Amino acid sequence: MTTIDKSMPVLVTGANGYVASWLVKYLLEDGFTVRATVRDKTNEKKVGHLLALSKAHEGKLSLHNADLFDTGAFDDAMAGCEVVFHTASPFIVRGLKDPQKELIEPALKGTHNVLESANKTETVKRVVLTSSVVAIYSDSIETLDQPNGVFSEDDWNKTSSVSHQPYNYSKTLAEKEAWKMAEAQSRWDMVVMNPGLVLGPTLAQASDSTSLSTMLEIMDGTMRTGAPDLRFPLVDVRDVATAHIKGAMTESASGRHILVSGSASVMEIAGWIKKAMPGRCKLPLWQAPKFLIWLIAPIFGITRDFVKKNVGYPIEFDNSRAKSELRIEFSALEQTVVDHAQQIVDDGLIN
Ligand code: NAP
């Protein structure tokens, strides 16, 4: 049981990111004092929305530079904090030249670095780690080996590697490192969030998150001539932020938490957008057969092995733990998608 004093500051790493920006906003609205780490607090494009939040909540939000690769970079910002929300980690799945350097090292070294700072900071009582469902599974085909076809918090990704699903591998290694470090000491405990693909409107205008590029690709015509039969485990970004705060404040919270509202295919997502804003976006017109996707995959920077193991399979998660322990009420997926699509249109991100 860990009791958190709400008057003590909390730290959020990667605070300018897509997920973390909602977390920072909700923490401020809940009255917390937030220390936000970013890579460059003078980069207006990246942190403009945080500066606006800081203005709206005077004296409650401070920005601190910290890179995941720099030893000790998080020490100063963490001083005096009881809770550390570690969200910073790249979420990039395509266009990678060196996955080891671009994904695995920042995820793994970054987690080690942040938790080393927690080990040095006497006030830290709880770490809330943003992991992912991809630390639970690698490819949708694994569904076939699951009891009832459903993944739970007991499952671990055993098959990703640097060359296959490197993002999934980075999150798996990082979460394992975090558990190793959490179990090697007794002052702070750890609560882990394992979200599915996060969707919903973004507050961050300059995020590299695959969440944002995925929605854009569904809406901007990229998949006009045929969408893959891919199903995503989905969750609303606002629910993910709420779950992080509940993970920090629920005294008895422990272990991993699957944050997935349900799953949907690309064509289902497109159907919801079409219903909400008919004729507004260049949505996929049909679902292409798997052999065609397999054939053209490399043109889109996707491996044929990925297509083989992910296209055409269901994907389901048991979210009961997050519901019972954290009292999360997941949003309806259709509303999440429509809100996200509306923000994309309102921000002029598609023609
Ligand atoms: P995002 O917007 O790209 O946020 C990633 C954050 O990590 C950014 O603040 C980024 O800073 C920071 N970062 C990356 N490399 C860094 C480095 N070397 N030093 C310091 N900071 C660094 O992506 P997101 O979708 O919000 O993801 C946030 C977290 O949620 C990640 O841990 C991700 O794995 C996890 N997650 C996301 C999803 C999803 O669907 N979005 C699902 C499950 C889990 P810059 O802005 O400077 O690059």
Side-chain angles (χ1 to χ4, degrees):
M1 296 287 260
T2 301
T3 313
I4 300 300
D5 178 353
K6 267 192 85 168
S7 68
M8 301 279 273
V10 298
L11 180 82
V12 180
T13 70
N16 61 303
Y18 169 53
V19 169
S21 296
W22 279 102
L23 172 60
V24 170
K25 179 176 158 65
Y26 285 174
L27 283 166
L28 291 169
E29 285 170 3
D30 278 357
F32 286 91
T33 301
V34 182
R35 308 254 182 88
T37 71
V38 297
R39 275 203 262 202
D40 177 6
K41 62 181 182 178
T42 65
N43 184 338
E44 177 79 24
K45 220 174 123 202
K46 287 256 179 188
V47 305
H49 61 293
L50 295 182
L51 296 177
L53 280 175
S54 169
K55 241 187 201 168
H57 299 268
E58 229 187 302
K60 299 295 262 182
L61 174 64
S62 55
L63 269 55
H64 308 258
N65 285 345
D67 194 289
L68 289 170
F69 286 104
D70 297 342
T71 309
F74 296 86
D75 290 1
D76 287 350
M78 204 181 284
C81 293
E82 285 194 349
V83 181
V84 173
F85 295 95
H86 178 39
T87 86
S89 203
F91 178 25
I92 305 166
V93 298
R94 275 196 262 154
L96 293 157
K97 290 193 180 76
D98 186 344
Q100 177 69 30
K101 282 211 161 59
E102 291 168 84
L103 286 176
I104 290 143
E105 287 177 16
L108 190 54
K109 286 190 179 165
T111 298
H112 185 86
N113 209 4
V114 169
L115 297 185
E116 273 289 292
S117 296
N119 281 343
K120 283 189 266 171
T121 310
E122 289 298 324
T123 48
V124 173
K125 289 183 175 175
R126 177 162 286 182
V127 171
V128 180
L129 178 80
T130 316
S131 184
S132 170
V133 290
V134 301
I136 287 175
Y137 85 115
S138 176
D139 298 281
S140 301
I141 193 171
E142 292 160 16
T143 297
L144 305 180
D145 299 325
Q146 284 304 113
N148 309 318
V150 178
F151 291 95
S152 78
E153 283 91 353
D154 294 336
D155 298 306
W156 277 92
N157 177 343
K158 295 188 191 80
T159 54
S160 293
S161 65
V162 184
S163 55
H164 178 69
Q165 300 274 47
Y167 168 69
N168 302 14
Y169 191 48
S170 76
K171 296 302 286 182
T172 307
L173 293 178
E175 193 190 325
K176 282 191 171 161
E177 174 68 10
W179 280 118
K180 199 172 95 191
M181 292 181 74
E183 281 155 15
Q185 55 75 58
S186 57
R187 179 175 23 83
W188 50 269
D189 64 9
M190 186 165 77
V191 178
V192 173
M193 299 298 147
N194 300 87
L197 180 69
V198 182
L199 294 181
T202 181
L203 303 169
Q205 300 301 311
S207 153
D208 298 323
S209 175
T210 297
S211 290
L212 306 182
S213 50
T214 302
M215 266 299 275
L216 272 178
E217 282 183 358
I218 294 173
M219 294 172 69
D220 70 3
T222 306
M223 298 186 192
R224 190 72 168 160
T225 52
D229 179 14
L230 262 184
R231 289 189 76 78
F232 301 111
L234 297 176
V235 61
D236 192 294
V237 66
R238 295 157 291 195
D239 294 347
V240 174
T242 301
H244 277 68
I245 299 175
K246 292 200 175 181
M249 299 310 291
T250 306
E251 289 185 16
S252 58
S254 65
R256 309 173 94 190
H257 301 82
I258 287 173
L259 304 179
V260 170
S261 171
S263 65
S265 68
V266 176
M267 289 308 286
E268 276 170 304
I269 294 171
W272 292 329
I273 300 169
K274 188 175 172 186
K275 195 168 94 184
M277 42 183 84
R280 179 60 189 82
C281 321
K282 295 185 196 113
L283 297 164
L285 295 171
W286 68 303
Q287 186 166 281
K290 186 167 178 174
F291 80 88
L292 188 61
I293 297 291
W294 182 87
L295 209 64
I296 62 170
I299 302 171
F300 294 93
I302 299 164
T303 66
R304 289 191 170 135
D305 200 27
F306 173 85
V307 174
K308 195 173 130 198
K309 293 174 176 164
N310 290 280
V311 172
Y313 295 103
I315 184 84
E316 298 295 337
F317 286 86
D318 177 358
N319 64 9
S320 55
R321 197 157 190 272
K323 282 183 182 165
S324 60
E325 192 183 87
L326 304 180
R327 306 255 167 248
I328 294 295
E329 286 170 27
F330 288 103
S331 307
L333 287 183
E334 180 169 355
Q335 194 59 50
T336 301
V337 166
V338 169
D339 289 353
H340 196 160
Q342 191 62 54
Q343 173 255 315
I344 286 174
V345 168
D346 291 348
D347 287 353
L349 300 179
I350 54 160
N351 296 319

